[in-house]
Amino acid sequence: MEKVGINLHAILPEIITAVVAILIMIFDAISRKIERRFAGVLSLAGLAAAAIAVITLWNHDGETSYGGMIINDRLRLMF
């Protein structure tokens, strides 16, 4: 898929954060108050996974994907 400029690894931290946020909202809507501690654990696990994805992208400075719409630089990764 690299021929068309699509690189899912470039947006992996955002994908992980969005999927975990949706899972937490769904779980919070259907759970009881006692079970809601799991949402905190799930959010920490999601943040750790997104941090690992950012670390793997850290040395890919200047790479572009999606036809130049996304550029991997350290400013983007810090946010």
Side-chain angles (χ1 to χ4, degrees):
M1 293 186 94
E2 195 63 40
K3 290 182 181 178
V4 292
I6 296 175
N7 183 4
L8 291 178
H9 187 248
I11 59 169
L12 189 60
E14 291 88 353
I15 291 172
I16 292 171
T17 304
V19 169
V20 169
I22 291 169
L23 288 175
I24 289 171
M25 287 188 283
I26 290 171
F27 182 77
D28 194 45
I30 62 173
S31 68
R32 295 183 300 217
K33 284 189 176 183
I34 295 174
E35 296 174 348
R36 289 189 178 166
R37 291 183 188 183
F38 179 73
V41 173
L42 183 62
S43 66
L44 288 176
L47 286 175
I52 291 170
V54 166
I55 290 169
T56 62
L57 286 170
W58 193 257
N59 290 326
H60 295 268
D61 242 4
E63 289 184 5
T64 61
S65 58
Y66 293 96
M69 289 191 296
I70 295 176
I71 186 166
N72 283 333
D73 59 351
R74 294 193 175 152
L75 180 66
R76 173 185 169 252
L77 295 176
M78 284 191 307
F79 279 104

